[in-house]
Amino acid sequence: MIQTISLQNYTIHIGAIWQQWNALLHSLQPSKIVVLVDENTRKYCLPMFSENTNFEHFFVIEIPSGEQHKNIDTCQIIWSKMMDANVDRKALMVNLGGGVIGDMGGFCASTFKRGIDFVQFPTTLLSQVDASIGGKLGIDFQEVKNSIGVFANPKAVFIEPHFLDTLPAREIRSGFAEIIKHSLIYDAQQWQQIQAITDLQQVDWTHFLVPSLRIKQQIVEADPYEKGLRKALNFGHTVGHAVESYFLQSERPLLHGEAIAIGMISEAYLSYKKLGLAYIELEHISQFLLRIYDEVIIPNIAFSWLIEMMKKDKKNEQDLINFSLIHPIGKVHINQTSHWVEIIESLHFYNELIPQTIITN
Ligand SMILES: NC(=O)c1ccc[n+]([C@@H]2O[C@H](COP(=O)([O-])OP(=O)(O)OC[C@H]3O[C@@H](n4cnc5c(N)ncnc54)[C@H](O)[C@@H]3O)[C@@H](O)[C@H]2O)c1
Ligand SMILES: [Zn+2]
């Protein structure tokens, strides 16, 4: 079965994608296809891709996996290989991988010879549900995430849920956080279904991907260049980004979604405090997230560092920090401000949910 989501400029195909993919190839007739992979997607995803692609002029570029390679040096390697292979403007780039491959490959394609066509084949849950809509492409620069990039749309996005079969459980959990977020900000009904999940290995992700993608679609189409409404997608991310940066320096960095899960608990608390989200709803959110995600304590000594980080992250006035909060579940309110004192309270609220026995510092 295949489902499609039609955006203004391109279509996302979800499910049994191969026929649609070959039809697109047939209509585009590219001079060559350049497939960007990392060592994992070369091993786990490229075989399925090659078997199902009816096209001879294939050219594979492999880069090392990981966010630390999402930088200008890797772009230079990609562009150089494309130059060496005489890639022309009629070529098509295929980004076969997670968000790192999609963001960087899309950026390299959109800038190579002023832009060649590209398609996204996201292979992680995070990239399928989040990076595949919105047209944001780019790389990290001077330690600042996604600070260089462009908005550009792919020719199409192909989501084959079977790619997830080889994805490590921790990566699945990380991507799941964005699905949870979409339901909390926009779809109370889906939140009900999500709460019934007990084993992530048993989930048919197609079932959640399509509604979740539609939510992101609605928000992004209403605000393609991030002027306002798109801030709705920041729920959990103001605190979450700061937490992610904090643990980046630790022995056990958190994956993006793991940090966002903590951020969603903290920001649900702020939603309770500032907007009157029902306490029982706050409890449901916290309990569910702590059931799925590891219980990570945020040391009290980190709080002021986190607040400084949040101040830097967004345009904020004095001691107030901007949030997108929820009330009730399924409805988001952008441009809500909280004082740092309240944010610290929300971090205490989070820490106190964690059994004291595992507090190590
Ligand atoms: N453009 C956007 O709107 C947007 C949205 C969200 C995130 N992002 C970006 O996405 C990146 C994170 O994406 P990610 O979480 O997909 O990370 P990732 O691309 O680093 O992939 C995570 C890991 O999974 C491996 N992998 C990928 N597919 C696999 C598969 N099918 N089987 C086994 N292993 C596989 C990768 O090699 C990597 O080691 C960040 O750079 C973030 O900025 C962009
Ligand atoms: Zn996110």
Side-chain angles (χ1 to χ4, degrees), residues 129-130 133 182 212-220 233:
V129 76
D130 197 1
I133 295 189
H182 287 160
S212 205
L213 283 164
R214 286 200 195 282
I215 291 169
K216 184 155 185 193
Q217 171 193 17
Q218 282 178 43
I219 294 173
V220 167
L233 296 164

Side-chain angles (χ1 to χ4, degrees), residues 18 20 30 32 68 99 114 120 150 162 184 238 261 287 308:
W18 301 110
Q20 307 289 334
K32 200 179 250 153
Q68 70 274 27
R114 297 202 176 81
Q120 305 291 50
V150 293
H162 284 296
L184 289 175
T238 306
Q287 280 163 10
E308 286 312 308

Side-chain angles (χ1 to χ4, degrees), residues 293-311:
Y293 295 91
D294 289 349
E295 294 168 323
V296 178
I297 283 280
I298 304 169
N300 289 10
I301 49 162
F303 288 4
S304 53
W305 188 92
L306 292 171
I307 299 287
E308 286 312 308
M309 199 66 194
M310 289 177 222
K311 283 188 187 164

Side-chain angles (χ1 to χ4, degrees), residues 126 130 178 181 237 241 256 260:
L126 183 85
D130 197 1
E178 303 290 351
K181 179 193 77 180
H237 281 62
H241 274 152
H256 177 70
I260 297 315

Side-chain angles (χ1 to χ4, degrees), residues 222-279:
D223 180 19
Y225 295 105
E226 233 171 11
K227 302 270 186 248
L229 182 65
R230 201 151 159 176
K231 285 187 199 161
L233 296 164
N234 283 343
F235 176 67
H237 281 62
T238 306
V239 172
H241 274 152
V243 168
E244 189 178 6
S245 311
Y246 177 78
F247 282 100
L248 211 55
Q249 312 151 353
S250 76
E251 274 172 15
R252 192 177 180 276
L254 294 178
L255 294 181
H256 177 70
E258 294 171 330
I260 297 315
I262 296 174
M264 286 193 284
I265 296 179
S266 155
E267 295 183 25
Y269 178 84
L270 294 173
S271 304
Y272 153 73
K273 265 306 256 218
K274 310 283 299 182
L275 296 182
L277 175 73
Y279 193 77

